[in-house]
């Protein structure tokens, strides 16, 4: 009998597994249907020996001291500030749009924030109510820059016109009038020094935690006796798609290793106006690894495949609300993470959400007697000793 079964070994599941094991002294079985831990943040050394991210570039950034501090128990950090160039009008220019972007694209020499702001103001279109991902950009930079940087990329990435997407999507990318060319503005920007997977290994190394991989919840749920469940997979799947499928956007990744030391000037180059892929990532910029070869990932957005992105738009939110209501009525099950709460969350936000859920658990769920915490078994531990496929247990 496990005290807790956790479905999904990404940030949501792993952060909670560690907290429960170390702070409540309870047993946890964490499972994942993939053959590895780390969820979408999983990284590995490829055949050439280059450290790469299997599911596309993951850059850690946060404004929260507490979240950084929490993760710092499991990793050291490498300082890294992310920079992205966009391939527009046959030029490579900084994105987010900043003063340099405008000067290069329009062959101008704007020297101050005020001059850049005046340029943008002269092009911005007034929008009465900013609702969509089109409104948010057009109202700030005007239609021409919107067409160059946002329309094509967003249509590729989401399979929808920006006017069909919530404003929150493109609002993730700021507009600047200075020459700050960093992609993120957060106070903390860094990469786990030895990679994400190593950080997850450290998080999950507690003796109260067992890991089972290649294990889909739907296949093993009746075989694993447990008291409580934390589910971090897609919430509609948990409820057998009772109200219909929640749309998630997928990606196909093409990983390529080249026999050259460096391929591009920055970690990520976006292709908003051309190509079927959205962006090319070169990992050595992120990791700082010295190697005579280099590995790149091309991202091709797709409708079908693993769920990577919840799609923020009102009708999807309405459908999610129906599942959320069901979740609220489901006792002894906690729904946490990007897929289970259908939120377009970054890694730090998922860590914050998981830590908040842990605080709620501490406040509302008493610690029951179990084998691990040295107390006698409770009366309803009838299933202790049920057979597990131990061949798949890692530790
Ligand atoms: P996940 O990492 O998706 O983990 C959920 C796990 O549950 C998965 O491993 C899945 O296999 C498993 N699972 C699901 N259903 C089942 C089931 N039925 N049975 C067993 N296992 C199951 N965030 C940043 O902060 N910075 C970035 O630069 C960044 N870049 C990104 C780039 C891409 C291409 C993508 C897709 C995301 C990026 N993110 C980034 C977001 C980041 O990946 C997520 O915030 C984070 O990984 C979410 O963690 P999670 O635990 O909620 O979900
Ligand atoms: N976006 C865009 N052009 C760009 C960069 C981003 O249109 O060059 C839009 C696009 O819709 C994207 C969203 O802004 O999905 C958020 O960008 P972000 O880089 O945060 O996407 P993620 O890293 O989550 O894929």
């Amino acid at each position: 009998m496990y005290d807790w079964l956790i479905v999904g070994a990404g940030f949501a599941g792993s952060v909670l597994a560690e907290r429960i094991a170390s702070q409540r002294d309870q047993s946890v079985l964490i499972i994942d249907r993939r053959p590895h831990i780390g969820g979408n943040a999983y990284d590995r050394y490829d055949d050439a020996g280059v450290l790469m991210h299997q599911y596309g570039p993951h850059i850690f950034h946060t404004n929260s001291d507490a979240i950084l501090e929490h993760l710092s128990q499991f990793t050291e950090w490498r300082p890294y500030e992310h920079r992205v160039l966009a391939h527009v009008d046959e030029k490579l220019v900084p994105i987010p749009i900043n003063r340099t972007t405008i000067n290069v694209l329009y062959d101008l020499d704007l020297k101050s924030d005020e001059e850049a702001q005046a340029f943008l103001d002269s092009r911005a279109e007034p929008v009465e109510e900013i609702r969509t991902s089109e409104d948010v950009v057009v109202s700030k930079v005007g239609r021409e820059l919107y067409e160059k940087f946002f329309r094509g990329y967003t249509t590729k990435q989401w399979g929808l016109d920006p006017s069909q997407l919530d404003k929150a999507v493109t609002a993730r990318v700021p507009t600047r009038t200075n020459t700050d060319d960093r992609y993120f503005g957060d106070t903390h920007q860094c990469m786990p020094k030895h990679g994400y997977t190593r950080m997850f290994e450290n998080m999950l190394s507690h003796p109260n935690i067992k890991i089972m991989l290649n294990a889909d919840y739907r296949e093993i749920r009746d075989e694993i006796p447990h008291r409580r469940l934390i589910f971090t997979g897609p919430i509609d799947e948990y409820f057998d798609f009772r109200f219909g499928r929640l749309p998630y956007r997928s990606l196909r990744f093409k990983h390529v290793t080249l026999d050259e030391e460096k391929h591009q000037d920055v970690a990520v180059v976006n292709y908003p106006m051309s190509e079927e892929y959205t962006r090319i990532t070169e990992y050595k910029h992120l990791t700082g690894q010295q190697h005579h070869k280099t590995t790149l990932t091309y991202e091709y957005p797709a409708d079908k495949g693993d769920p990577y992105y919840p799609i923020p738009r009102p009708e999807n939110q309405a459908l999610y609300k129906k599942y959320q209501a069901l979740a609220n009525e489901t006792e002894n099950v906690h729904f946490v993470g990007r897929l289970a709460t259908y939120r377009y969350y970054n890694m730090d936000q998922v860590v914050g959400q998981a830590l908040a859920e842990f605080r709620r658990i501490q406040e509302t769920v008493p610690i029951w007697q179990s084998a691990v915490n040295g107390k006698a078994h409770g009366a309803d531990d009838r299933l202790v000793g049920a057979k597990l496929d131990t061949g798949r247990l890692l530790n």
Side-chain angles (χ1 to χ4, degrees):
M1 167 68 86
Y2 287 97
D3 291 321
W4 296 80
L5 174 63
I6 299 185
V7 178
F11 269 100
S14 300
V15 164
L16 276 159
E18 188 282 333
R19 286 292 84 184
I20 289 166
S22 71
Q23 305 302 304
R24 291 172 66 93
D25 198 16
Q26 293 187 303
S27 63
V28 176
L29 176 66
I30 184 166
I31 68 165
D32 206 296
R33 58 184 168 205
R34 289 169 168 166
H36 57 72
I37 59 174
N40 287 339
Y42 170 70
D43 56 13
R44 65 178 170 89
Y45 288 88
D46 63 17
D47 290 347
V50 180
L51 181 57
M52 54 80 71
H53 299 183
Q54 174 105 354
Y55 306 99
H58 279 71
I59 297 101
F60 187 77
H61 56 102
T62 188
N63 286 316
S64 163
D65 295 346
I67 289 168
L68 182 75
E69 218 169 278
H70 183 76
L71 293 177
S72 300
Q73 299 173 85
F74 314 106
T75 186
E76 292 171 54
W77 299 96
R78 161 177 202 267
Y80 169 75
E81 290 185 321
H82 192 46
R83 289 183 167 76
V84 178
L85 294 172
H87 190 259
V88 170
D89 292 348
E90 302 305 315
K91 295 183 173 124
L92 286 173
V93 290
I95 172 90
I97 294 171
N98 67 7
R99 200 157 78 228
T100 313
T101 314
I102 301 168
N103 281 336
V104 173
L105 271 188
Y106 293 99
D107 202 14
L108 292 170
D109 188 23
L110 306 177
K111 288 206 162 56
S112 65
D113 283 29
E114 292 71 31
E115 282 178 27
Q117 191 60 57
F119 175 90
L120 293 175
D121 288 348
S122 73
R123 297 183 163 240
E125 280 180 18
V127 177
E128 218 160 86
E129 191 201 350
I130 296 178
R131 248 179 346 97
T132 72
S133 269
E134 176 182 318
D135 300 339
V136 89
V137 181
V138 166
S139 66
K140 270 202 215 133
V141 303
R143 199 154 290 277
E144 189 172 295
L145 287 167
Y146 161 76
E147 297 279 346
K148 286 187 197 297
F149 286 88
F150 287 91
R151 181 142 191 225
Y153 189 106
T154 301
T155 308
K156 256 194 277 187
Q157 170 72 11
W158 299 94
L160 292 168
D161 191 80
S163 61
Q164 298 172 292
L165 275 170
D166 194 275
K167 63 179 177 206
V169 176
T170 53
R172 288 167 61 91
V173 183
T175 308
R176 302 198 180 112
T177 50
N178 58 20
T179 54
D180 181 358
D181 62 348
R182 298 171 309 158
Y183 201 70
F184 305 113
D186 305 55
T187 44
H188 305 291
Q189 311 191 18
C190 46
M191 297 289 291
K193 192 167 177 185
H194 304 290
Y196 288 95
T197 302
R198 181 76 75 79
M199 179 178 76
F200 279 94
E201 282 166 4
N202 291 338
M203 219 184 287
L204 295 176
S205 69
H206 195 283
N208 288 350
I209 302 175
K210 300 273 181 277
I211 305 169
M212 187 189 273
L213 300 174
N214 297 310
D216 195 307
Y217 176 64
R218 289 167 298 189
E219 290 167 15
I220 54 95
R221 64 183 157 198
D222 299 329
E223 293 175 47
I224 311 273
H226 57 277
R227 295 284 284 262
R228 281 187 100 91
L229 179 72
I230 292 171
F231 189 80
T232 77
I235 188 168
D236 57 335
E237 180 190 304
Y238 180 88
F239 291 110
D240 297 321
F241 311 106
R242 197 177 305 180
F243 303 127
R245 283 183 184 261
L246 267 173
Y248 293 89
R249 191 69 172 158
S250 191
L251 292 170
R252 180 172 67 81
F253 300 100
K254 188 172 94 182
H255 305 303
V256 180
T257 300
L258 301 178
D259 211 351
E260 56 181 309
E261 189 137 359
K262 202 175 88 176
H263 182 71
Q264 58 192 32
D265 285 340
V266 289
V268 171
V269 177
N270 286 356
Y271 290 83
M273 298 186 78
S274 58
E275 316 303 342
E276 277 175 43
Y277 45 84
T278 49
R279 57 187 179 187
I280 303 177
T281 299
E282 182 173 31
Y283 294 103
K284 283 164 68 186
H285 297 275
L286 307 180
T287 59
Q289 187 182 7
Q290 304 292 318
H291 199 289
H292 61 282
K293 294 192 181 186
T294 193
T295 296
L296 315 175
T297 294
Y298 294 68
E299 288 173 53
Y300 296 85
D303 249 347
K304 294 208 165 53
D306 280 356
Y308 291 123
Y309 292 86
I311 305 179
R313 56 193 308 222
E315 49 267 62
N316 298 353
Q317 199 52 29
L319 182 53
Y320 165 67
K321 287 280 171 213
K322 290 171 80 174
Y323 282 112
Q324 190 187 27
L326 262 190
N328 289 342
E329 288 163 14
T330 309
E331 279 181 22
N332 299 336
V333 185
H334 305 254
F335 294 85
V336 191
R338 178 151 144 145
L339 303 172
T341 61
Y342 204 68
R343 288 195 174 92
Y344 187 179
Y345 268 175
N346 295 324
M347 294 180 282
D348 65 317
Q349 295 170 302
V350 171
V351 173
Q353 189 191 41
L355 292 175
E357 187 64 26
F358 181 68
R359 283 193 293 275
R360 252 189 310 278
I361 288 170
Q362 289 293 68
E363 284 161 15
T364 58
V365 184
I367 300 180
W368 53 86
Q369 297 180 330
S370 77
V372 171
N373 61 35
K375 297 172 186 161
H377 286 289
D380 63 342
D381 283 356
R382 293 180 302 272
L383 295 167
V384 169
K387 218 166 161 291
L388 290 185
D389 179 3
T390 47
R392 291 189 295 192
L393 288 173
L394 275 192
N395 65 359

